[in-house]
Structures are given as C-alpha cells and as structure tokens.
Amino acid sequence: MGTRSEQEFEKYKDRIYPWVREIPAEESGWKSEGYSPDDTPLLSFADGLMTVFVIRRGEESFDVLKDSMMPEGMTVEELYQTACENLARDVEFVFSNTLFGGFGVIADGIHEASALCLRHIWDVCTEKLKDDVVIMAPSRDLLLFAPKSDDKVIQSMIQFGEQGWARSEHRLTRRLYQYSRERKELTGYERD
C-alpha cells in the first residue's frame, strides 16, 4: 500500500516539472529564490545551472517540491526523469525564427528555459542545423539559440538576450551554453 509520503507523492507525481535556475553564488541568493539546498531536492546539470522541482497547483500556480515530499528511497535523478517526462508530455515547445537571425523556443510563458532539460530537443536542432548550437536563457520565458559557426548571429543573439534579461522579472542567466551535436551534451560556452 505504501507509506503516507508515497501515497501523497502519487497524487501529484504527474504535476512535477523541472525549472532551470542559476546556482546562487551567495546565501542571500538562495533566500531570495525561496528555497535552500538544505531542504530542497536540486540537481546541478550544466555549468552554473541547476534544476529545481515544482508542483503545478493551478494554471500558473506552482510550489517548490521539498525533500520531505519525496518518497523514501527516491533519488533526485529519478525525480528528474519523472519531471522531464511530465514536461515533454504536457508542454508544447515550438521553435521560431527570430529577428536576430537565430531561433527561439516558445512554450507557455513559464517553461521555455526548462527545454534545456530535454536532450531530444537539442539532438533534433543540432541535426537539422548540422552544427552545434549556442544557447542563451536570459529568463524562464526566453530561450534563444544560434548555430555555433555563425558568429554574427551569436553576437546579435547576445544583444537580444541581454535586453530580455534586463526587462524580465524572472531572470535566469546571462551565461552562454553550447549543445554539442557529437557529444550530445550541454556545457558552458566560451567565446573565442
């Protein structure tokens, strides 16, 4: 029958999603985000980024999942797998051309940056472009990318992303990332 926490978890298991966040550099940053590594399951997955898990309570209402809400014995990696499956099932990601010559990811205004968690999206993008991609996620609702071989478009993307970061109330990061077509992994991007 399962423990009480396992029964509770089953009630919201299908409403757990990964939110990408920048790892705060200082303790005050953790407090402003409203969670702590002391009581929140977190998963670091790319240079300076981590995943926080949230439960959808309403149309635009989410609660951060706490350690005490996970069933005993469940790993953060298993939680990540569940959250990514829910994301892929429930959120439609659309790719659009942008004014700067690159591409943008459009979803629901909440989960655009969460597309970083879905490796298959980046596999498809890099195969279609026949190139690695440089990615910028200035806010939770703005995810941009450009072919790595096109320096001019990358520079335009950075300018566009900086403007988005400055205007957003849900800032994420000003860092750039790269998804490697060959290695199939997301890493930090260093400008030459």
Side-chain angles (χ1 to χ4, degrees):
M1 183 140 175
T3 66
R4 182 170 178 206
S5 68
E6 288 170 338
Q7 292 169 359
E8 287 295 313
F9 183 78
E10 285 302 314
K11 290 179 184 176
Y12 53 77
K13 175 180 154 185
D14 290 340
R15 294 180 284 126
I16 298 171
Y17 301 96
W19 276 4
V20 175
R21 293 290 181 266
E22 190 168 37
I23 298 171
E26 301 170 1
E27 193 170 325
S28 61
W30 289 103
K31 289 180 181 156
S32 69
E33 288 289 334
Y35 45 80
S36 161
D38 299 332
D39 67 355
T40 309
L42 305 168
L43 184 66
S44 174
F45 77 95
D47 184 34
L49 295 179
M50 66 181 171
T51 302
V52 174
F53 302 95
V54 296
I55 303 167
R56 180 186 293 268
R57 296 292 186 195
E59 193 59 37
E60 290 191 25
S61 173
F62 296 86
D63 292 334
V64 173
L65 185 89
K66 300 294 186 180
D67 288 336
S68 61
M69 301 166 81
M70 289 177 57
E72 196 170 314
M74 177 177 247
T75 66
V76 176
E77 289 77 12
E78 290 169 330
L79 182 61
Y80 182 76
Q81 183 69 33
T82 296
C84 288
E85 288 170 6
N86 293 344
L87 181 69
R89 179 194 67 223
D90 296 342
V91 178
E92 180 180 2
F93 294 96
V94 177
F95 300 88
S96 66
N97 292 316
T98 63
L99 295 173
F100 65 81
F103 304 93
V105 176
I106 301 168
D108 58 4
I110 298 171
H111 292 99
E112 280 78 354
S114 296
L116 288 171
C117 299
L118 302 178
R119 181 176 290 165
H120 68 275
I121 285 176
W122 303 106
D123 288 342
V124 169
C125 290
T126 55
E127 284 307 312
K128 284 194 180 279
L129 293 170
K130 301 197 180 326
D131 197 353
D132 292 355
V133 292
V134 176
I135 304 168
M136 188 173 189
S139 66
R140 77 175 188 191
D141 61 348
L142 183 59
L143 185 63
L144 310 167
F145 66 99
K148 183 181 177 189
S149 62
D150 196 333
D151 288 333
K152 185 177 177 188
V153 171
I154 291 170
Q155 290 309 312
S156 296
M157 176 184 73
I158 292 168
Q159 290 175 337
F160 187 85
E162 288 284 342
Q163 292 170 6
W165 187 85
R167 288 190 307 259
S168 179
E169 46 180 281
H170 302 289
R171 291 179 178 161
L172 185 53
T173 185
R174 297 166 79 183
R175 295 181 188 186
L176 297 178
Y177 295 88
Q178 171 181 318
Y179 189 85
S180 168
R181 180 180 180 207
E182 186 179 307
R183 292 188 318 274
K184 300 190 179 310
E185 69 177 336
L186 183 70
T187 58
Y189 173 74
E190 296 299 324
R191 297 178 219 186
D192 299 329

